[in-house]
Amino acid sequence: MLFSKMLIPTLREVPADAEAISHILMLRAGYVRQLASGLYMYLPLGWKVLNKINAIMKEEMDAIGGQEISLPVLHPAEIWQQTGRWDAIGDEMFRLKDRTDRDMCLGMTHEEIMTWLASREIKSYRDMPQVWYQIQTKLRDEARPKSGILRTREFLMKDSYSFDISDEALDKNYRLHAEAYHRIFERCGLKFFMVESDPGMMGGAVSHEFMAPSPAGEDEVALCPSCGYSANVELALSRPRETELAGWEKAEIHTPEKRTIQEVSNFLKLTPDFFIKSILVITDNGPVLALVRGDQELHEKKLSRVIGQHRPAQKAEVKEILGVEAGFIGPMGQTVKIIADPCLKDGMYVSGANKPHYHVRGIMAERDFTAEWHDIHVARSGDICVKCGDALAVERVIEIGNIFKLGTKYSSALKALYLDENGTEKPIIMGSYGIGPARIAAAAIEQNHDKDGIIWPKSIAPFDVEILPLNMKDPLTIDASEKLYRELKERGIDVLMDDRDERAGVKFKDADLIGIPFQVILGEKTLREGLVEIKNRKTKESLRVPLSTAIGMIAL
RNA sequence: CGGGGCGUAGCGCAGUCUGGCUAGCGCACCUGCCUUGGGAGCAGGGGGUCGGAGGUUCGAAUCCUCUCGCCCCGACCA
């Protein structure tokens, strides 16, 4: 491809709206343009990258027996109503009506439609296992699109679905997908981990996420370097580092006007880890008192998994329910349901005395209060791994893929049933598996760039090599570059030639920005010595070799 | 949805507080000359509903009201 003929609108300056590195570089290097919030167009270079990623995904999906199909983007409401997600999913679903006033929606995922298909076409245990996948557009009315193509309202997804007769068979498809996903992300040149995750609205019991470490990510994962434990912080188990054991006699202390942990901690000259933080929340089934250690944060999602939907209590509610104003509440003597973090099981603590302007020193679990024990604190770097006792690391990550064991949630609701060998009707056991190719591209840039631009992994670069004839008015340069271009193309190399009549500096800047892994530089002087220069975008090392040798070297 | 910021040429910005002549600058773009190993130089040129609507005023990019859009933080997130 000739640069002069291709739409590659590079930008010299950083667009004001972009903040994430991948976003800035994709705009500057002419890969994407934004249409509206969360809506992006892929220009020729961007689309080539996406297609390379898609090709890798297809190969690996086909390799585990996946069959590519294509489903509609526009869905009738009834199917979503049957699984309950028409109501369970709120504003995130784009909804519309057709001309006959029938409710429709735009697909944000395809469990319903895939299961509908399975309900018609899979009838016997002999028909399984099946794995169907597609690479197709999803639409979600995101509350807050952000970071360029990392979180958009319309995006491509590779989604696959497995249909099995038993949990063991599902396990196998789940494992095959996990392995395929490992290969896909490896081939795309990403650093990533697979972590335990919260199935959330997808239903099902088990799920894992594939996470690419990057400061631009929206999630955090806890990782144990020793035993390999890894989980999204939304459910990562950890033990905060232990504190000293205090040997107090239990006693009330006057703490006038000292309400927050910080205030009381300063007042008593005790570090926050000697305190119990008591947080009152309101659920549909009444109030719950959540306890974490004073130096810890309560994790809302972890608590939600234990007690369901809840909201923080208002000041008036605290007083009404616990009989004391906020700031002096504590677990002692309370009759409300208490959920406490396990790190409070041992040791002695200070907490509110349930009496205005008093705290109690020397509180012990079981002796002074009883609770249900659940890990509800936010895991942090340096916390102790519950599996092996080593220190955990917490890293910021981009979610690039996920896999779910769905079980029979969708097949039961949509009557996707089959007959087993005994002639008994049973719901199909399902799994669903997703990858966002745009996130792979963005993560690859986040992980591979320098001050000059993108450094693509070879496997997903838009071209294999870029030829830079530095002086387009020099006949020798033109001849040599055209020869090189032709011969590389003949050998099946995907090559971009910067044939623009631009100065050398412009071509160098653009080439580095665009990030094709190898540059072949044809300068007048070196060419007269019969040499061209092969430069590695990543290492910036270059090699001077005869033209004929260059062709052979690049062809490798 | 809550908080903050911003909309002036393709991109980056100044001008707005304190209203005033023909709305400016850099880059990009077009023409010519020149130049060709890291975003050159000179000369000439094109491009603007100042996000939109309404209002105040002799006069509005600038003041007032409403509205639309975009970004960031948070909530939310199959």
Side-chain angles (χ1 to χ4, degrees):
Chain A
M1 191 71 201
L2 298 177
F3 201 122
S4 65
K5 304 274 187 269
M6 196 171 180
L7 176 62
I8 309 177
T10 57
L11 302 174
R12 190 179 289 223
E13 287 180 275
V14 177
D17 286 347
E19 202 150 287
I21 287 162
S22 55
H23 189 198
I24 291 171
L25 289 176
M26 286 182 119
L27 287 169
R28 283 196 57 210
Y31 283 75
V32 299
R33 286 295 181 261
Q34 181 178 28
L35 175 64
S37 180
L39 298 175
Y40 281 82
M41 13 188 135
Y42 287 83
L43 306 189
L45 286 178
W47 192 239
K48 284 199 83 170
V49 169
L50 228 44
N51 279 322
K52 291 223 171 172
I53 295 168
N54 291 347
I56 291 172
M57 292 194 298
K58 284 185 192 187
E59 282 178 25
E60 295 298 342
M61 289 313 299
D62 291 346
I64 62 166
Q67 304 166 71
E68 188 176 10
I69 63 176
S70 178
L71 304 181
V73 176
L74 185 60
H75 304 171
E78 292 87 68
I79 303 178
W80 286 82
Q81 284 159 351
Q82 281 173 48
T83 61
R85 291 211 290 185
W86 179 262
D87 297 315
I89 296 170
D91 294 337
E92 214 178 322
M93 183 185 271
F94 281 107
R95 297 161 204 259
L96 65 160
K97 286 180 188 288
D98 71 9
R99 61 168 70 204
T100 65
D101 212 33
R102 186 182 182 192
D103 281 319
M104 312 285 287
C105 65
L106 300 179
M108 50 196 302
T109 176
H110 280 77
E111 279 76 20
E112 274 78 0
I113 310 305
M114 281 279 182
T115 310
W116 186 94
L117 178 64
S119 75
R120 311 283 147 142
E121 310 307 337
I122 297 178
K123 290 152 187 141
S124 153
Y125 70 96
R126 291 195 186 92
D127 297 333
M128 286 177 278
Q130 290 287 332
V131 174
W132 301 337
Y133 77 94
Q134 58 174 349
I135 296 173
Q136 191 244 29
T137 303
K138 306 287 184 237
L139 292 127
R140 296 179 189 180
D141 197 359
E142 288 287 348
R144 183 148 100 83
K146 57 182 287 201
S147 307
I149 59 166
L150 275 176
R151 187 163 209 88
T152 55
R153 296 193 290 175
E154 176 177 325
F155 59 99
L156 221 48
M157 183 190 255
K158 190 290 300 172
D159 48 327
S160 45
Y161 303 83
S162 64
F163 304 90
D164 282 297
I165 58 169
S166 68
D167 288 334
E168 293 69 39
L170 168 62
D171 287 346
K172 186 182 173 196
N173 265 324
Y174 193 80
R175 183 171 49 76
L176 285 173
H177 271 87
E179 288 165 5
Y181 278 29
H182 272 93
R183 284 191 295 273
I184 289 166
F185 300 130
E186 258 157 35
R187 288 181 60 183
C188 290
L190 293 180
K191 290 190 272 293
F192 67 97
F193 343 96
M194 175 171 132
V195 305
E196 289 176 26
S197 71
D198 180 2
M201 282 271 291
M202 291 297 285
V206 177
S207 69
H208 288 84
E209 290 164 328
F210 290 80
M211 301 296 212
S214 158
E218 300 179 86
D219 288 288
E220 286 187 322
V221 296
L223 302 160
C224 176
S226 300
C227 73
Y229 174 71
S230 59
N232 193 309
V233 288
E234 289 175 3
L235 41 69
L237 299 175
S238 81
R239 230 169 41 236
R241 264 178 306 214
E242 281 166 37
T243 59
E244 293 171 56
L245 214 56
W248 295 315
E249 291 291 311
K250 192 161 79 176
E252 282 189 356
I253 322 163
H254 189 47
T255 50
E257 303 297 337
K258 302 290 184 276
R259 289 180 171 80
T260 65
I261 298 272
Q262 199 54 54
E263 286 165 359
V264 187
S265 145
N266 289 341
F267 180 71
L268 297 179
K269 301 200 167 35
L270 282 171
T271 51
D273 49 305
F274 283 106
F275 290 78
I276 294 176
K277 195 185 277 184
S278 310
I279 299 139
L280 187 69
V281 299
I282 310 294
T283 72
D284 293 343
N285 303 315
V288 172
L289 193 61
L291 308 182
V292 294
R293 207 170 71 189
D295 61 326
Q296 301 292 312
E297 294 295 323
L298 172 68
H299 198 298
E300 296 290 337
K301 277 205 169 160
K302 284 182 169 179
L303 185 60
S304 290
R305 265 193 300 278
V306 181
I307 63 170
Q309 284 274 13
H310 64 274
R311 60 170 177 83
Q314 287 151 12
K315 283 203 166 124
E317 289 174 315
V318 172
K319 183 131 199 209
E320 184 189 330
I321 295 161
L322 301 179
V324 64
E325 65 179 291
F328 305 103
I329 65 175
M332 246 180 68
Q334 288 296 354
T335 52
V336 298
K337 180 171 180 176
I338 297 177
I339 308 290
D341 194 80
C343 75
L344 296 172
K345 259 185 187 166
D346 304 311
M348 262 189 188
Y349 297 94
V350 179
S351 179
N354 292 316
K355 187 169 154 186
H357 307 289
Y358 277 90
H359 281 74
V360 177
R361 185 166 61 196
I363 293 183
M364 290 175 73
E366 307 301 346
R367 185 187 74 187
D368 299 313
F369 66 94
T370 55
E372 254 183 58
W373 301 97
H374 295 280
D375 184 319
I376 53 172
H377 66 272
V378 179
R380 289 199 291 234
S381 272
D383 281 2
I384 293 158
C385 174
V386 296
K387 299 252 154 103
C388 76
D390 207 342
L392 291 173
V394 171
E395 277 209 59
R396 189 154 270 273
V397 293
I398 297 168
E399 181 184 351
I400 48 176
N402 51 31
I403 54 179
F404 299 88
K405 287 188 186 177
L406 297 176
T408 59
K409 171 175 170 162
Y410 298 92
S411 51
S412 298
L414 291 165
K415 307 232 168 11
L417 310 171
Y418 70 97
L419 293 179
D420 70 6
E421 33 308 48
N422 304 316
T424 312
E425 202 167 58
K426 287 184 173 164
I428 297 171
I429 297 176
M430 292 177 54
S432 84
Y433 317 86
I435 291 180
R439 285 188 174 179
I440 292 182
I445 294 172
E446 294 285 342
Q447 292 182 355
N448 302 285
H449 66 271
D450 61 17
K451 64 171 179 28
D452 295 316
I454 302 169
I455 306 171
W456 287 110
K458 285 177 208 157
S459 55
I460 60 174
F463 288 94
D464 300 320
V465 59
E466 176 171 351
I467 301 174
L468 304 180
L470 296 186
N471 182 357
M472 289 305 287
K473 292 209 167 69
D474 173 42
L476 184 61
T477 305
I478 294 172
D479 283 352
S481 60
E482 280 176 357
K483 177 165 186 276
L484 181 61
Y485 179 65
R486 216 169 34 242
E487 294 204 16
L488 287 175
K489 279 182 69 165
E490 274 164 18
R491 294 181 193 218
I493 310 284
D494 201 7
V495 47
L496 177 68
M497 180 155 80
D498 193 345
D499 60 330
R500 295 174 302 169
D501 186 15
E502 289 284 357
R503 294 168 60 86
V506 173
K507 296 192 180 191
F508 285 133
K509 287 288 182 190
D510 275 346
D512 286 350
L513 187 57
I514 288 165
I516 295 165
F518 295 101
Q519 302 168 1
V520 183
I521 300 161
L522 286 79
E524 246 178 293
K525 260 184 249 164
T526 37
L527 219 44
R528 290 221 179 78
E529 297 165 31
L531 301 175
V532 301
E533 207 172 318
I534 301 178
K535 186 169 172 188
N536 182 313
R537 170 66 184 86
K538 188 187 178 81
T539 63
K540 303 235 162 172
E541 286 165 357
S542 67
L543 212 63
R544 293 186 175 200
V545 296
L547 187 60
S548 53
T549 317
I551 294 167
M553 284 178 69
I554 294 157
L556 289 179

